[in-house]
Amino acid sequence: MARKDNTFAILQFDERLISLLRARRSDKGVDVVETERLYGEWPAEGDLQKALKEFVKEHRLAGGPVYTVLPRHEMSARILDLPSQERGEIDNMIRLSAEEYVPFPVEDLVIGQCVLQRREDGNARVFAVFAHKDVVERHARSLREAGIEPERIYSSTTCLASAAAAAHRGGDERYALVNLSSGGIEVLVMNGSRLEYGRGVASHRKGSLRDVPLEDLVEEIGLELRASLSAYRRESEDGEEVERIYLCSEWADPGLLADRLGETSGYRCEAAQGIRALAAGGGEDLAALPAAALGAALAAQGRAMHAVDLEPPSLAGSRAAVSRKRKLMGAGAVLAALLVAAGGYYAQAVYLRTAYIAELTAQADALRPAAESVAEKSRQLRILQSQVDPSGSALEVLSKVMELAPASGLTLVQFTYERGVKADLLGRARSTEEIDQFALALRERGGPLFVDARRGATRSIQEFGRDVVEFAIVVPFPAGAVSEDQQAAADSAGTTEGDAGDKALE
């Protein structure tokens, strides 16, 4: 039930930090009413639930609308190119191919998605989130035991992207947004207001990042930033560098972090003050820069550019039970009014007839989605059937690569495969001769898919005090190597990327 003062709360929590942003619904930005943070160490689930329950009671959150956010490092996510712009078709495609992206059966996943871009050719860029059911259920259970039934469980990536997009003032600036939470680091690459890339990692440290010395913290942020930007350049179509780095955090001073990171990284770094400006009221009281919470507040008001709701089955069942209870209460009130107005016999007849019609309608409504789902899945299976053809698969190509790779002197660090189009190998070697010999072995003994394998860009780097050559080998697949059906499936399925097993560089 909504509060009389029309406020709502964004509640985030983990084993080290519970944070609250309470806001009033407004047509302009986010009208911040209250912000609170509670620091602690709650390694056991019971300890966290106890602390959360006390926090909820102290700030009187029970009974009002509460939204929460799951951090990116607790789930997997992909940006996919899919051959449809219809929500139902996109949902089915993602569910049918979920096990290609995460090592869990689809029954163990909570999947959410949102469309990032609708292309003129009818395809769509889609941000898909794959969270293990246990992670989401544990999060919801902690809230439920604290007396809260969350309205929505959002993904931190879409909250950050929506906050950045809302703060963006136009243009095509390519920049990175770095968010520092208590338990990890998330890096987004934005092109103007469009999300291009996202990555999140949990901190490898035992305690909270809040307890890490500033220099060590800046070093950890810098390492993750460089790794994320390197991965972005490999995956992006144009490979352009970002122009600026913006920092935000639930608890840290982003200005201080930006100054130190700029000195050590060589990038132009600054606090994401534009996101702070989203707080149309109360922004001056924000001690840090909680961009994820501000983005979630926009989503709670239906004004976020992107939103992914990770509703677990238990929460869906609870909402259905509440809905049924409300419907039953309404039906009882109507029945009582009819009994008083028309008399016992007539009211009873009307009630039985109404109940019978409602039962038939419910049965029809229950059967309709199943029938529509069967028809839709049948159509989607026809679209995707060529994608599961094992011939010319990524595993087949990777197996041949590993078979022909030399036993020593060369390390493969990444394998990128685009079915029917090409495969790229990235690695390091002691010399260009070894790279050329490997490319020659692929051409001569790799079979018809490798006849055009060639060495790509190389550069010399230092690794463990030795000079090595970082290289790329490009394997464009010749025309006719796959059937027309397989090629059509490849054009619609996007790319598949994975890490190759390393062979030791001796």
Side-chain angles (χ1 to χ4, degrees), residues 101 144 216 222 286 332 358 368 491 498-499:
Y101 308 114
R144 194 175 297 114
D216 293 344
L286 296 176
R368 188 179 298 110
D491 292 339
D499 292 334

Side-chain angles (χ1 to χ4, degrees), residues 111-127:
I111 301 175
Q113 58 89 0
C114 66
V115 176
L116 300 178
Q117 182 183 8
R118 301 182 188 275
R119 301 186 185 274
E120 294 180 358
D121 59 3
N123 290 0
R125 289 182 71 247
V126 178
F127 179 73

Side-chain angles (χ1 to χ4, degrees), residues 34 190 243-244 281 300-301 305 307 320 344 361 389 394 405 408 433 451 454 463 502:
E34 175 190 10
M190 305 287 294
E243 301 170 27
R244 196 187 305 262
Q301 300 177 82
M305 178 173 286
T361 302
D389 187 348
S408 63
E433 288 79 12
V451 295
R454 64 179 186 275
E463 184 177 63
D502 287 353

Side-chain angles (χ1 to χ4, degrees), residues 12 28 57 67 107 186 224 231 280 340-341 353 362 364 390 413 415:
Q12 298 171 264
K28 298 181 180 179
K57 181 179 180 181
Y67 301 82
E107 295 79 11
E186 184 167 3
E224 175 54 26
V340 172
R353 180 177 298 176
V413 299
F415 168 79

Side-chain angles (χ1 to χ4, degrees), residues 25 85 110 227 280 303 414 474 488:
R25 297 187 184 277
Q85 297 181 0
V110 176
R303 292 193 282 110
Q414 181 171 308
V474 181

Side-chain angles (χ1 to χ4, degrees), residues 162-233:
S162 295
H168 187 63
R169 296 294 183 263
D172 294 325
E173 179 188 24
R174 196 181 301 260
Y175 60 94
L177 178 65
V178 180
N179 181 59
L180 183 65
S181 65
S182 65
I185 301 169
E186 184 167 3
V187 179
L188 272 61
V189 176
M190 305 287 294
N191 187 354
S193 59
R194 187 171 69 246
L195 175 63
E196 295 286 338
Y197 175 81
R199 169 184 162 112
V201 295
S203 173
H204 63 279
R205 301 177 185 275
K206 293 183 178 180
S208 170
L209 287 174
R210 180 171 172 265
D211 301 325
V212 177
L214 177 62
E215 295 302 321
D216 293 344
L217 182 59
V218 170
E219 180 182 2
E220 186 165 343
I221 295 173
L223 289 172
E224 175 54 26
L225 176 63
R226 285 190 290 273
S228 297
L229 294 183
S230 176
Y232 160 69
R233 286 192 297 270

Side-chain angles (χ1 to χ4, degrees), residues 149-160:
E149 196 76 19
E151 299 288 327
R152 295 285 186 273
I153 300 177
Y154 292 126
S155 157
S156 65
T157 301
T158 52
C159 292
L160 291 170

